[in-house]
Amino acid sequence: MLAAFQEHLHLHFSNLKENRLLIAISGGLDSVVLTHLLFNAGYDITLAHCNFNLRDSESDQDEQFVRELADRFKIDCHVTQFETSQYASDHGVSTQMAARELRYDFFNDLCKDHNYDFILTAHHLDDQIETFFINLNRGAGLKGLQGIPQLNGNVIRPLLPFSREQIMEYAMNSQVLWREDSSNRSNKYQRNQLRNQILPLLHKALPQLKTHFAQSLDYLKGSQNLVDDAVARFRESVIKTTTTGININISQLEKFTNVQAYLYEVVKDYGFHNMIDAMNVVEGQSGKRIETDKYILFKNRGTIFIEEKTSLKSIKLSIDQKNTTYHFYEASIEIEELIVDNALDIVIQNNDKNVLFLDAAKVNYPLRLRNWKKGDRIQPLGMNGSKLVSDVLTDSKVSFIAKEKIVVLTWKEEILWIVGIRSSRQGKVTSSTNRLLKITYSI
């Protein structure tokens, strides 16, 4: 196996001899064999071991075994201990997820602090097959069915082409010692149940599965490349990227023959995996929406929006000075007072939705800036009567998320301006105005 292993590294990771490698080692068969293979092949390796304190004295014995292995090979070894169960409880995650987060944080910190180039893990062909069926059970798409990548960032998995039988055979022939993890015999976890009970029957019924599995994954990766090319063209024609997320043009979307498949390739990146719910939004009325922890997917007329949720502080600013600037969210308003002879001409020449002109003789300080709220009404300039602010925002096609950042400028509880959207007839500039209050909104 050593010769085949070296050939594999030469073909796929030819630069590793020039790099400093950190091996994630548990003390079990797979990671110990990986260590032996790399050591015998002359690579620059260091060991990194996590004691998760999940198996009482066994965990400590694993740690001691790894330390002794490093001493025998005369290589460096980093060891840390975690209270994994407490971490899982504090962060509301499973024990397995807690262990994964803790160990990869530890490995990445070591790379940063000691200039290791790559982290090497001992995942092998059997792990690949297990992952395929676990992802299949979860309803994974094409990318999920490709299993574990050989290279992911700075993580390399050089044993992926090799089966557990090959690894075991090498260990026995080379008299390699390792530690058995007693938890591997328990079927408490889904992966162990699959490994211990289901896959042995599957391999018996399908004896060529391991032989052809890697080739099948290569076919899937080739298909994924075709999908990626198609999705890239789809994104160019249908999607517009904004500062807060993306917009999907529904009329352009519906020109594609398999709307749901294309849509899935986009929305899954934002945590939306239930395509029945997503398609209900596409086909539903304006305002329909679904949410994840971080994003909102909603429909507004002919567009689907995916935007990041924001937690905004309420705005309550008192404006009691002229010639100054007030900041809120990522924006600001600047207040200026101007003495003029031709007020109407100035207003006409500076026709900009982000600039408000008021007759300074008709309004007094303090003015107030606050978030709009349900039930707010404005007396729009150029209209008789009043109108709900919510209706003005809807008419102006302000998106669901953007509405959260809309503020209004008021005086004596009267709304003078839906900032950047619509002004009121309160404080209207006339031909007799000689003192202007200019308020400029900037993002």
Side-chain angles (χ1 to χ4, degrees), residues 331-428:
S332 65
I333 59 169
E334 182 182 3
I335 313 296
E336 301 175 79
E337 193 167 310
L338 309 171
I339 305 300
V340 298
D341 295 324
N342 51 348
L344 281 178
D345 288 343
I346 292 175
V347 171
I348 293 170
Q349 292 169 9
N350 292 273
N351 183 22
D352 186 333
K353 68 176 183 178
N354 291 326
V355 179
L356 174 68
F357 288 100
L358 297 171
D359 188 328
K362 296 178 181 177
V363 295
N364 296 315
Y365 296 110
L367 304 176
R368 300 194 185 279
L369 194 72
R370 64 166 174 81
N371 302 93
W372 77 282
K373 59 181 184 290
K374 187 176 181 180
D376 275 345
R377 302 189 76 89
I378 187 173
Q379 299 178 47
L381 183 65
M383 287 181 56
N384 294 321
S386 65
K387 190 170 184 176
L388 285 169
V389 169
S390 59
D391 290 341
V392 175
L393 297 179
T394 298
D395 293 344
S396 300
K397 300 182 180 179
V398 177
S399 75
F400 174 81
I401 294 293
K403 285 180 181 178
E404 295 184 3
K405 291 187 177 182
I406 296 297
V407 294
V408 293
L409 183 71
T410 68
W411 176 61
K412 290 185 177 181
E413 304 305 321
E414 290 287 339
I415 293 179
L416 301 174
W417 192 23
I418 305 172
V419 177
I421 305 293
R422 190 73 183 266
S423 61
S424 165
R425 61 177 179 268
Q426 299 290 329
K428 177 182 176 181

Side-chain angles (χ1 to χ4, degrees), residues 46 96 257 301 315 329 414 427:
T46 298
Q96 288 178 307
T257 55
R301 293 182 169 83
I315 298 299
Y329 301 143
E414 290 287 339

